[in-house]
Amino acid sequence: MQSQATSNILMIRPTRFGFNSQTAESNAFQNADLATHNPEATQAQALREFDEMTHQLIAAGVNVIIYDDTTEPHTPDSIFPNNWVSFHYSGTVVLYPMQAPNRRFERRLDIIDDLAKEYQVAKIVDLTHFEQEGKYLEGTGSLVLDRMKRVAYACLSPRTDTRVLAEFSKRTGYQIITFSAADANGIPVYHTNVLMCIGDVFAVVCLAAISDPDERLMVRQSLVNSGKHVIDITLEQMAHFAGNMLLTVTKKGQKLLIMSSQAFHSLSARQRDELDDFATLFHFDLSTIEGHGGGSARCMMAEIHLPLK
């Protein structure tokens, strides 16, 4: 049976991380005041945050597979590989169409070829041709997958298009649940994974971001019907990346819920206690990556659910 979490995680070590002006228009989580910040200092601090996170994950028993980013072409967001690829238990690898032209250079077939030495890659589903039509679906940023129930939740946005969703559903067999969401300022949420996280028996979601009451009820009911204990977070907590978590497991089977320190500290004591019943909470200081990149811990990890050879 397909499990929700894996101990095999792909992460990309940055070489020229920084504020990406091509993504800022649709990503309200990026801090525009940092756009002119010293790029060398930004890269150095982001690298420290990345190395500390991966060091702790590996020490805890997670199999973190790290590839260094290439220096050319410049890919300031390469630290977020979950937007260009997803790996599935069926042996399927999906490649995704991305909105920002400079993010499309992040896709690296050499990584997939390398992983195929150890894992079974039965087929590659390539959705990148939708970029030519101006239609996008940015991986497990746009999609939050309930892998056990084969349901994909998708918050519609300029980066999450219904036609690409339909093709993803057709090619993978996932049922799609779509809705619209906005932050406290009424700005559309750019990626689904900043407002919800799905674990094996729990889900974290910012229901207040879904303004339409019918859609809000639909999302909540779907999660409950899937056997999830729903933990509702506030719009303010969402703004601190409290929805941007990922459930992983160690090689010994211990469940870890990965998040940033900003997300952890935004949670109430009751919410932490609730989540701690389901997994050990594991958090890291990712403030530079969050501020410049507009993404957090979950965005940095692409789970490898492929079967071993």
Side-chain angles (χ1 to χ4, degrees):
M1 177 184 170
Q2 165 75 75
S3 60
Q4 181 65 19
T6 178
S7 61
N8 303 312
I9 303 294
L10 167 67
M11 297 184 70
I12 306 295
R13 194 169 189 260
T15 59
R16 296 176 65 192
F17 174 82
F19 186 91
N20 187 353
S21 59
Q22 291 189 19
T23 59
E25 183 178 349
S26 60
N27 184 347
F29 288 80
Q30 284 178 252
N31 184 348
D33 293 337
L34 300 174
T36 57
H37 195 262
N38 182 310
E40 289 79 16
T42 299
Q43 159 63 19
Q45 184 56 36
L47 189 59
R48 279 191 288 271
E49 292 174 2
F50 178 92
D51 286 344
E52 180 61 23
M53 177 178 174
T54 54
H55 173 77
Q56 290 194 40
L57 287 174
I58 292 167
V62 178
N63 179 34
V64 184
I65 301 168
I66 301 171
Y67 289 87
D68 287 319
D69 185 22
T70 54
T71 54
E72 292 293 341
H74 183 203
T75 49
D77 282 330
S78 62
I79 202 168
F80 305 130
N82 78 312
N83 296 140
W84 65 264
V85 67
S86 64
F87 303 97
H88 301 264
Y89 183 71
S90 60
T92 300
V93 176
V94 185
L95 300 176
Y96 295 93
M98 296 196 289
Q99 185 185 46
N102 66 3
R103 294 215 62 191
R104 299 168 192 172
F105 295 118
E106 295 172 28
R107 292 190 293 256
R108 288 177 53 186
L109 296 181
D110 63 305
I111 290 177
I112 296 169
D113 290 342
D114 199 44
L115 291 173
K117 297 172 186 175
E118 185 175 358
Y119 298 94
Q120 296 179 40
V121 175
K123 66 175 178 177
I124 294 177
V125 173
D126 188 348
L127 303 176
T128 62
H129 60 90
F130 280 104
E131 288 169 352
Q132 298 164 24
E133 303 174 35
K135 296 179 173 64
Y136 313 109
L137 186 68
E138 298 192 331
T140 52
S142 293
L143 299 160
V144 174
L145 303 178
D146 184 340
R147 293 177 183 265
M148 300 164 72
K149 300 294 184 181
R150 298 189 67 73
V151 177
Y153 295 83
C155 168
L156 299 178
S157 78
R159 305 197 196 183
T160 304
D161 184 89
T162 54
R163 180 151 171 228
V164 195
L165 282 166
E167 185 67 17
F168 173 83
S169 176
K170 177 182 173 184
R171 302 284 292 274
T172 65
Y174 271 83
Q175 174 194 352
I176 309 292
I177 293 180
T178 61
F179 55 93
S180 297
D183 65 16
N185 297 315
I187 299 171
V189 175
Y190 80 106
H191 273 166
T192 315
N193 74 2
V194 296
L195 69 90
M196 71 187 304
C197 155
I198 294 179
D200 48 359
V201 294
F202 70 93
V204 177
V205 60
C206 181
L207 291 169
I210 307 172
S211 59
D212 184 287
D214 291 333
E215 290 187 344
R216 190 186 315 133
L217 180 62
M218 173 188 66
V219 169
R220 184 183 185 94
Q221 203 57 51
S222 176
L223 293 169
V224 171
N225 291 346
S226 298
K228 312 298 184 193
H229 174 83
V230 176
I231 298 169
D232 194 4
I233 59 173
T234 67
L235 287 164
E236 183 178 2
Q237 290 172 325
M238 181 183 78
H240 289 285
F241 291 104
N244 198 246
M245 306 174 178
L246 181 68
L247 180 69
T248 64
V249 292
T250 68
K251 296 169 191 172
K252 294 183 179 180
Q254 179 191 7
K255 296 176 186 177
L256 304 177
L257 186 58
I258 312 301
M259 68 193 77
S260 72
S261 295
Q262 180 184 183
F264 176 82
H265 291 302
S266 77
L267 296 171
S268 68
R270 180 177 176 179
Q271 288 169 326
R272 289 181 205 166
D273 286 343
E274 276 189 280
L275 288 168
D276 201 46
D277 288 340
F278 304 116
T280 300
L281 308 188
F282 224 53
H283 64 92
F284 316 91
D285 175 20
L286 301 173
S287 52
T288 298
I289 293 168
E290 289 173 326
H292 288 79
S296 189
R298 192 274 166 271
C299 306
M300 297 168 64
M301 298 178 283
E303 319 101 285
I304 301 173
H305 283 270
L306 299 170
L308 286 166
K309 281 189 170 178

